Each structure stands twice: as structure tokens, then as C-alpha cells.
Amino acid sequence: MKIKTGIGIDIHRLEPGLDFWLGGIKLEHEKGCVAHSDGDVLIHAICDALLGAAGLDDIGVYFPDTDPAYKGIDSKILLKKVIDMIEDKGFAIGNIDCVVCLQRPKIKMRTLEMRECLSEIMGIDVDEITIKATTTEKLGFEGREEGVSAYVTVLIIKL
């Protein structure tokens, strides 16, 4: 059995009046992510981690922000395409560990809903996904509520 790991990181600027998508669900917040797609930093970081672990290029190569086909696209669609890509290479997901850095909104009460959404898309057990949230104690761009970042590690298994 061959196992591989990957890491993914995504960061987006926050601005008023935009929808705020995280982990495949829409959160109530006065700000949302500035992005070509829906700006779901968590899903984007998961995609990059999976692609890297499978030895593939990054998310921007497959879904470029210069392509109008991806303008406003639901990131859940991109994640499903990435799952198909890693499965085509003979890999299955072992587990996914995520950290989201943001001052607000508080997401602890919504992480199970995110995990359930993500597990359905990826076809894995909800217990194979962890999502933790942290503030930066009002330091940096996350602390000033100018942006949000997500950090993800994955383990994939060659079938």
C-alpha cells in the first residue's frame, strides 16, 4: 500500500456585500470573499492538498481565474472534479485535516455541517474530515477582518 500526503493553503480578501461560502455552506456574515469563483477558501485548500498529494498541478492550472467558465462557480463542483482526477490516478482519501483562520464569524457551531457537506461530495466518512477554527487574536489580516485563510493536509492511499 502506498500512501501520500499533501498540503493546501488558500487566502481570500473579505469585502462587504458578498456571500461568504466556507466548507460548501453559506454563512451569514456582512462580508464575503473576493474571488473569481464563489471564494470558498476551505474547499480551494482541500483541492490543492489533494492535487499535490496525487502529483498533479495546483487548482489554478485546472480551473484558471482567467476562464469565464469558472466565473462564480460553486466550489463544490470543482472539488468533485478534483476527486474524479485523483480517483483516475488510483487514489482514495485516507483523511483530511483543516484549519481555518478568521476573526469572525465564529464557525465552531457550523463545522459538523461543513464536514457533512464535504463528506457527501468526496464520498468519504464524515469522521475522516476535521475542521478546526482559530482567530489570530486580532493580529494580521485575519485579525483585522480583511481576509480569511485555510490550511489543509490530506492523506491519500493508492488502491
Side-chain angles (χ1 to χ4, degrees):
M1 172 172 57
K2 183 175 186 177
I3 61 171
K4 295 182 80 177
T5 62
I7 185 168
I9 299 168
D10 196 38
I11 300 166
H12 281 279
R13 188 172 77 248
L14 292 172
E15 286 192 4
L18 299 172
D19 290 338
F20 189 44
W21 288 91
L22 190 65
I25 66 169
K26 185 177 174 184
L27 300 174
E28 290 301 318
H29 193 50
E30 65 271 9
K31 295 181 180 180
C33 292
V34 176
H36 185 71
S37 67
D38 65 6
D40 190 322
V41 295
L42 183 53
I43 287 182
H44 297 173
I46 291 169
C47 288
D48 263 344
L50 289 168
L51 290 166
L56 297 167
D57 283 318
D58 66 76
I59 190 173
V61 170
Y62 300 105
F63 315 111
D65 63 6
T66 55
D67 188 335
Y70 302 114
K71 179 70 177 158
I73 194 167
D74 184 336
S75 292
K76 294 185 290 289
I77 295 168
L78 304 180
L79 179 56
K80 181 59 182 146
K81 290 177 184 275
V82 168
I83 295 301
D84 291 343
M85 292 166 71
I86 70 162
E87 287 176 351
D88 287 348
K89 288 197 74 172
F91 289 103
I93 297 171
N95 76 300
I96 298 176
D97 188 29
C98 311
V99 177
V100 179
C101 296
L102 72 169
Q103 197 66 38
R104 286 186 323 112
K106 302 295 185 196
I107 65 169
K108 180 61 181 160
M109 301 309 290
R110 303 291 303 273
T111 57
L112 178 57
E113 186 180 352
M114 291 178 206
R115 291 171 53 220
E116 290 170 343
C117 177
L118 294 169
S119 73
E120 184 177 324
I121 296 162
M122 295 185 285
I124 62 173
D125 192 281
V126 71
D127 291 335
E128 301 305 329
I129 306 166
T130 57
I131 301 173
K132 300 168 296 291
T134 187
T135 67
T136 57
E137 300 298 328
K138 299 190 178 184
L139 297 173
F141 69 89
E142 296 105 338
R144 291 187 302 271
E145 299 182 41
E146 297 169 354
V148 57
S149 61
Y151 305 84
V152 175
T153 61
V154 301
L155 179 124
I156 60 174
I157 303 159
K158 185 81 166 186
L159 300 176

PDB file of all heavy atoms in Angstrom, residues 101-124:
ATOM      1  N   CYS A 101      -8.491  30.153   9.524  1.00  0.00           N
ATOM      2  CA  CYS A 101      -8.123  31.318  10.341  1.00  0.00           C
ATOM      3  C   CYS A 101      -9.014  32.488   9.971  1.00  0.00           C
ATOM      4  O   CYS A 101      -8.965  32.967   8.835  1.00  0.00           O
ATOM      5  CB  CYS A 101      -6.668  31.709  10.107  1.00  0.00           C
ATOM      6  SG  CYS A 101      -5.491  30.461  10.624  1.00  0.00           S
ATOM      7  N   LEU A 102      -9.816  32.946  10.929  1.00  0.00           N
ATOM      8  CA  LEU A 102     -10.664  34.111  10.726  1.00  0.00           C
ATOM      9  C   LEU A 102     -11.110  34.635  12.087  1.00  0.00           C
ATOM     10  O   LEU A 102     -11.243  33.873  13.036  1.00  0.00           O
ATOM     11  CB  LEU A 102     -11.866  33.804   9.836  1.00  0.00           C
ATOM     12  CG  LEU A 102     -13.012  32.954  10.367  1.00  0.00           C
ATOM     13  CD1 LEU A 102     -14.185  33.037   9.408  1.00  0.00           C
ATOM     14  CD2 LEU A 102     -12.633  31.530  10.605  1.00  0.00           C
ATOM     15  N   GLN A 103     -11.271  35.926  12.165  1.00  0.00           N
ATOM     16  CA  GLN A 103     -11.713  36.537  13.409  1.00  0.00           C
ATOM     17  C   GLN A 103     -13.217  36.336  13.609  1.00  0.00           C
ATOM     18  O   GLN A 103     -13.659  35.963  14.682  1.00  0.00           O
ATOM     19  CB  GLN A 103     -11.371  38.032  13.408  1.00  0.00           C
ATOM     20  CG  GLN A 103     -11.398  38.673  14.779  1.00  0.00           C
ATOM     21  CD  GLN A 103     -10.324  38.146  15.703  1.00  0.00           C
ATOM     22  OE1 GLN A 103      -9.199  37.890  15.283  1.00  0.00           O
ATOM     23  NE2 GLN A 103     -10.661  37.951  16.952  1.00  0.00           N
ATOM     24  N   ARG A 104     -13.958  36.589  12.557  1.00  0.00           N
ATOM     25  CA  ARG A 104     -15.404  36.418  12.542  1.00  0.00           C
ATOM     26  C   ARG A 104     -15.811  35.974  11.146  1.00  0.00           C
ATOM     27  O   ARG A 104     -15.133  36.329  10.196  1.00  0.00           O
ATOM     28  CB  ARG A 104     -16.105  37.753  12.861  1.00  0.00           C
ATOM     29  CG  ARG A 104     -16.051  38.189  14.261  1.00  0.00           C
ATOM     30  CD  ARG A 104     -16.887  39.444  14.546  1.00  0.00           C
ATOM     31  NE  ARG A 104     -16.896  40.461  13.501  1.00  0.00           N
ATOM     32  CZ  ARG A 104     -17.981  40.784  12.765  1.00  0.00           C
ATOM     33  NH1 ARG A 104     -19.125  40.202  12.956  1.00  0.00           N
ATOM     34  NH2 ARG A 104     -17.910  41.714  11.837  1.00  0.00           N
ATOM     35  N   PRO A 105     -16.893  35.275  10.979  1.00  0.00           N
ATOM     36  CA  PRO A 105     -17.807  34.806  12.005  1.00  0.00           C
ATOM     37  C   PRO A 105     -17.259  33.584  12.737  1.00  0.00           C
ATOM     38  O   PRO A 105     -16.372  32.898  12.213  1.00  0.00           O
ATOM     39  CB  PRO A 105     -19.058  34.429  11.216  1.00  0.00           C
ATOM     40  CG  PRO A 105     -18.526  33.995   9.880  1.00  0.00           C
ATOM     41  CD  PRO A 105     -17.332  34.887   9.640  1.00  0.00           C
ATOM     42  N   LYS A 106     -17.768  33.335  13.901  1.00  0.00           N
ATOM     43  CA  LYS A 106     -17.397  32.127  14.635  1.00  0.00           C
ATOM     44  C   LYS A 106     -18.042  30.946  13.919  1.00  0.00           C
ATOM     45  O   LYS A 106     -19.228  30.979  13.592  1.00  0.00           O
ATOM     46  CB  LYS A 106     -17.865  32.192  16.089  1.00  0.00           C
ATOM     47  CG  LYS A 106     -17.313  33.389  16.855  1.00  0.00           C
ATOM     48  CD  LYS A 106     -15.814  33.313  16.991  1.00  0.00           C
ATOM     49  CE  LYS A 106     -15.296  34.452  17.859  1.00  0.00           C
ATOM     50  NZ  LYS A 106     -13.876  34.657  17.730  1.00  0.00           N
ATOM     51  N   ILE A 107     -17.260  29.912  13.647  1.00  0.00           N
ATOM     52  CA  ILE A 107     -17.782  28.814  12.827  1.00  0.00           C
ATOM     53  C   ILE A 107     -17.899  27.493  13.569  1.00  0.00           C
ATOM     54  O   ILE A 107     -18.359  26.509  13.003  1.00  0.00           O
ATOM     55  CB  ILE A 107     -16.927  28.616  11.558  1.00  0.00           C
ATOM     56  CG1 ILE A 107     -15.506  28.176  11.901  1.00  0.00           C
ATOM     57  CG2 ILE A 107     -16.937  29.879  10.708  1.00  0.00           C
ATOM     58  CD1 ILE A 107     -14.704  27.704  10.706  1.00  0.00           C
ATOM     59  N   LYS A 108     -17.508  27.431  14.828  1.00  0.00           N
ATOM     60  CA  LYS A 108     -17.494  26.164  15.565  1.00  0.00           C
ATOM     61  C   LYS A 108     -18.831  25.425  15.481  1.00  0.00           C
ATOM     62  O   LYS A 108     -18.859  24.211  15.313  1.00  0.00           O
ATOM     63  CB  LYS A 108     -17.104  26.413  17.025  1.00  0.00           C
ATOM     64  CG  LYS A 108     -17.050  25.166  17.872  1.00  0.00           C
ATOM     65  CD  LYS A 108     -16.023  24.198  17.346  1.00  0.00           C
ATOM     66  CE  LYS A 108     -15.978  22.932  18.177  1.00  0.00           C
ATOM     67  NZ  LYS A 108     -15.375  21.835  17.438  1.00  0.00           N
ATOM     68  N   MET A 109     -19.922  26.157  15.585  1.00  0.00           N
ATOM     69  CA  MET A 109     -21.238  25.520  15.574  1.00  0.00           C
ATOM     70  C   MET A 109     -21.654  25.058  14.174  1.00  0.00           C
ATOM     71  O   MET A 109     -22.671  24.386  14.025  1.00  0.00           O
ATOM     72  CB  MET A 109     -22.302  26.466  16.144  1.00  0.00           C
ATOM     73  CG  MET A 109     -22.013  26.909  17.579  1.00  0.00           C
ATOM     74  SD  MET A 109     -21.666  25.551  18.729  1.00  0.00           S
ATOM     75  CE  MET A 109     -23.255  24.798  18.863  1.00  0.00           C
ATOM     76  N   ARG A 110     -20.870  25.372  13.163  1.00  0.00           N
ATOM     77  CA  ARG A 110     -21.219  25.008  11.784  1.00  0.00           C
ATOM     78  C   ARG A 110     -20.251  23.985  11.180  1.00  0.00           C
ATOM     79  O   ARG A 110     -20.457  23.543  10.054  1.00  0.00           O
ATOM     80  CB  ARG A 110     -21.226  26.247  10.889  1.00  0.00           C
ATOM     81  CG  ARG A 110     -22.161  27.378  11.315  1.00  0.00           C
ATOM     82  CD  ARG A 110     -23.637  27.086  11.187  1.00  0.00           C
ATOM     83  NE  ARG A 110     -24.114  26.698   9.877  1.00  0.00           N
ATOM     84  CZ  ARG A 110     -24.508  27.531   8.912  1.00  0.00           C
ATOM     85  NH1 ARG A 110     -24.474  28.830   9.108  1.00  0.00           N
ATOM     86  NH2 ARG A 110     -24.939  27.076   7.772  1.00  0.00           N
ATOM     87  N   THR A 111     -19.200  23.601  11.928  1.00  0.00           N
ATOM     88  CA  THR A 111     -18.195  22.708  11.325  1.00  0.00           C
ATOM     89  C   THR A 111     -18.748  21.318  11.027  1.00  0.00           C
ATOM     90  O   THR A 111     -18.349  20.709  10.032  1.00  0.00           O
ATOM     91  CB  THR A 111     -16.917  22.612  12.176  1.00  0.00           C
ATOM     92  OG1 THR A 111     -17.244  22.166  13.499  1.00  0.00           O
ATOM     93  CG2 THR A 111     -16.197  23.944  12.237  1.00  0.00           C
ATOM     94  N   LEU A 112     -19.655  20.807  11.834  1.00  0.00           N
ATOM     95  CA  LEU A 112     -20.232  19.496  11.523  1.00  0.00           C
ATOM     96  C   LEU A 112     -21.002  19.567  10.210  1.00  0.00           C
ATOM     97  O   LEU A 112     -20.886  18.670   9.368  1.00  0.00           O
ATOM     98  CB  LEU A 112     -21.136  18.996  12.651  1.00  0.00           C
ATOM     99  CG  LEU A 112     -21.827  17.650  12.375  1.00  0.00           C
ATOM    100  CD1 LEU A 112     -20.812  16.548  12.072  1.00  0.00           C
ATOM    101  CD2 LEU A 112     -22.730  17.262  13.540  1.00  0.00           C
ATOM    102  N   GLU A 113     -21.753  20.638  10.008  1.00  0.00           N
ATOM    103  CA  GLU A 113     -22.496  20.817   8.753  1.00  0.00           C
ATOM    104  C   GLU A 113     -21.529  20.867   7.564  1.00  0.00           C
ATOM    105  O   GLU A 113     -21.790  20.270   6.508  1.00  0.00           O
ATOM    106  CB  GLU A 113     -23.312  22.100   8.839  1.00  0.00           C
ATOM    107  CG  GLU A 113     -24.231  22.336   7.683  1.00  0.00           C
ATOM    108  CD  GLU A 113     -25.019  23.630   7.824  1.00  0.00           C
ATOM    109  OE1 GLU A 113     -24.975  24.292   8.879  1.00  0.00           O
ATOM    110  OE2 GLU A 113     -25.679  23.981   6.833  1.00  0.00           O
ATOM    111  N   MET A 114     -20.398  21.560   7.727  1.00  0.00           N
ATOM    112  CA  MET A 114     -19.378  21.607   6.672  1.00  0.00           C
ATOM    113  C   MET A 114     -18.819  20.216   6.403  1.00  0.00           C
ATOM    114  O   MET A 114     -18.685  19.796   5.246  1.00  0.00           O
ATOM    115  CB  MET A 114     -18.241  22.549   7.068  1.00  0.00           C
ATOM    116  CG  MET A 114     -18.603  23.996   7.097  1.00  0.00           C
ATOM    117  SD  MET A 114     -17.171  24.966   7.646  1.00  0.00           S
ATOM    118  CE  MET A 114     -17.984  26.380   8.340  1.00  0.00           C
ATOM    119  N   ARG A 115     -18.493  19.498   7.465  1.00  0.00           N
ATOM    120  CA  ARG A 115     -17.931  18.146   7.318  1.00  0.00           C
ATOM    121  C   ARG A 115     -18.911  17.230   6.600  1.00  0.00           C
ATOM    122  O   ARG A 115     -18.519  16.425   5.753  1.00  0.00           O
ATOM    123  CB  ARG A 115     -17.547  17.587   8.682  1.00  0.00           C
ATOM    124  CG  ARG A 115     -16.358  18.296   9.303  1.00  0.00           C
ATOM    125  CD  ARG A 115     -16.104  17.910  10.748  1.00  0.00           C
ATOM    126  NE  ARG A 115     -16.003  16.473  10.918  1.00  0.00           N
ATOM    127  CZ  ARG A 115     -16.526  15.808  11.958  1.00  0.00           C
ATOM    128  NH1 ARG A 115     -17.183  16.446  12.912  1.00  0.00           N
ATOM    129  NH2 ARG A 115     -16.373  14.507  12.043  1.00  0.00           N
ATOM    130  N   GLU A 116     -20.192  17.340   6.939  1.00  0.00           N
ATOM    131  CA  GLU A 116     -21.211  16.508   6.282  1.00  0.00           C
ATOM    132  C   GLU A 116     -21.319  16.844   4.806  1.00  0.00           C
ATOM    133  O   GLU A 116     -21.407  15.942   3.960  1.00  0.00           O
ATOM    134  CB  GLU A 116     -22.554  16.680   6.990  1.00  0.00           C
ATOM    135  CG  GLU A 116     -22.584  16.061   8.365  1.00  0.00           C
ATOM    136  CD  GLU A 116     -23.809  16.424   9.186  1.00  0.00           C
ATOM    137  OE1 GLU A 116     -24.500  17.409   8.852  1.00  0.00           O
ATOM    138  OE2 GLU A 116     -24.069  15.709  10.169  1.00  0.00           O
ATOM    139  N   CYS A 117     -21.284  18.126   4.480  1.00  0.00           N
ATOM    140  CA  CYS A 117     -21.337  18.558   3.082  1.00  0.00           C
ATOM    141  C   CYS A 117     -20.131  18.022   2.314  1.00  0.00           C
ATOM    142  O   CYS A 117     -20.277  17.443   1.231  1.00  0.00           O
ATOM    143  CB  CYS A 117     -21.385  20.085   3.023  1.00  0.00           C
ATOM    144  SG  CYS A 117     -21.353  20.754   1.348  1.00  0.00           S
ATOM    145  N   LEU A 118     -18.956  18.200   2.878  1.00  0.00           N
ATOM    146  CA  LEU A 118     -17.722  17.761   2.217  1.00  0.00           C
ATOM    147  C   LEU A 118     -17.656  16.243   2.090  1.00  0.00           C
ATOM    148  O   LEU A 118     -17.225  15.718   1.060  1.00  0.00           O
ATOM    149  CB  LEU A 118     -16.507  18.281   2.980  1.00  0.00           C
ATOM    150  CG  LEU A 118     -16.343  19.807   2.978  1.00  0.00           C
ATOM    151  CD1 LEU A 118     -15.281  20.224   3.987  1.00  0.00           C
ATOM    152  CD2 LEU A 118     -16.010  20.319   1.590  1.00  0.00           C
ATOM    153  N   SER A 119     -18.102  15.513   3.109  1.00  0.00           N
ATOM    154  CA  SER A 119     -18.045  14.051   3.047  1.00  0.00           C
ATOM    155  C   SER A 119     -18.950  13.516   1.950  1.00  0.00           C
ATOM    156  O   SER A 119     -18.614  12.544   1.274  1.00  0.00           O
ATOM    157  CB  SER A 119     -18.396  13.420   4.397  1.00  0.00           C
ATOM    158  OG  SER A 119     -19.767  13.518   4.680  1.00  0.00           O
ATOM    159  N   GLU A 120     -20.098  14.166   1.749  1.00  0.00           N
ATOM    160  CA  GLU A 120     -21.009  13.744   0.687  1.00  0.00           C
ATOM    161  C   GLU A 120     -20.377  13.960  -0.687  1.00  0.00           C
ATOM    162  O   GLU A 120     -20.437  13.078  -1.552  1.00  0.00           O
ATOM    163  CB  GLU A 120     -22.324  14.519   0.785  1.00  0.00           C
ATOM    164  CG  GLU A 120     -23.348  14.062  -0.223  1.00  0.00           C
ATOM    165  CD  GLU A 120     -24.681  14.778  -0.073  1.00  0.00           C
ATOM    166  OE1 GLU A 120     -25.073  15.072   1.070  1.00  0.00           O
ATOM    167  OE2 GLU A 120     -25.315  15.033  -1.108  1.00  0.00           O
ATOM    168  N   ILE A 121     -19.738  15.088  -0.893  1.00  0.00           N
ATOM    169  CA  ILE A 121     -19.097  15.383  -2.184  1.00  0.00           C
ATOM    170  C   ILE A 121     -17.956  14.410  -2.461  1.00  0.00           C
ATOM    171  O   ILE A 121     -17.805  13.909  -3.571  1.00  0.00           O
ATOM    172  CB  ILE A 121     -18.540  16.823  -2.197  1.00  0.00           C
ATOM    173  CG1 ILE A 121     -19.659  17.840  -2.073  1.00  0.00           C
ATOM    174  CG2 ILE A 121     -17.722  17.083  -3.475  1.00  0.00           C
ATOM    175  CD1 ILE A 121     -19.184  19.217  -1.650  1.00  0.00           C
ATOM    176  N   MET A 122     -17.148  14.145  -1.425  1.00  0.00           N
ATOM    177  CA  MET A 122     -15.948  13.336  -1.614  1.00  0.00           C
ATOM    178  C   MET A 122     -16.182  11.844  -1.448  1.00  0.00           C
ATOM    179  O   MET A 122     -15.298  11.045  -1.740  1.00  0.00           O
ATOM    180  CB  MET A 122     -14.859  13.811  -0.647  1.00  0.00           C
ATOM    181  CG  MET A 122     -14.412  15.226  -0.949  1.00  0.00           C
ATOM    182  SD  MET A 122     -13.025  15.774   0.060  1.00  0.00           S
ATOM    183  CE  MET A 122     -13.825  16.060   1.621  1.00  0.00           C
ATOM    184  N   GLY A 123     -17.352  11.459  -0.970  1.00  0.00           N
ATOM    185  CA  GLY A 123     -17.667  10.043  -0.810  1.00  0.00           C
ATOM    186  C   GLY A 123     -16.865   9.377   0.286  1.00  0.00           C
ATOM    187  O   GLY A 123     -16.494   8.201   0.158  1.00  0.00           O
ATOM    188  N   ILE A 124     -16.576  10.122   1.362  1.00  0.00           N
ATOM    189  CA  ILE A 124     -15.838   9.561   2.495  1.00  0.00           C
ATOM    190  C   ILE A 124     -16.637   9.779   3.770  1.00  0.00           C
ATOM    191  O   ILE A 124     -17.549  10.608   3.818  1.00  0.00           O
ATOM    192  CB  ILE A 124     -14.420  10.168   2.646  1.00  0.00           C
ATOM    193  CG1 ILE A 124     -14.485  11.673   2.917  1.00  0.00           C
ATOM    194  CG2 ILE A 124     -13.574   9.858   1.420  1.00  0.00           C
ATOM    195  CD1 ILE A 124     -13.126  12.309   3.234  1.00  0.00           C
TER     196      ILE A 124
END
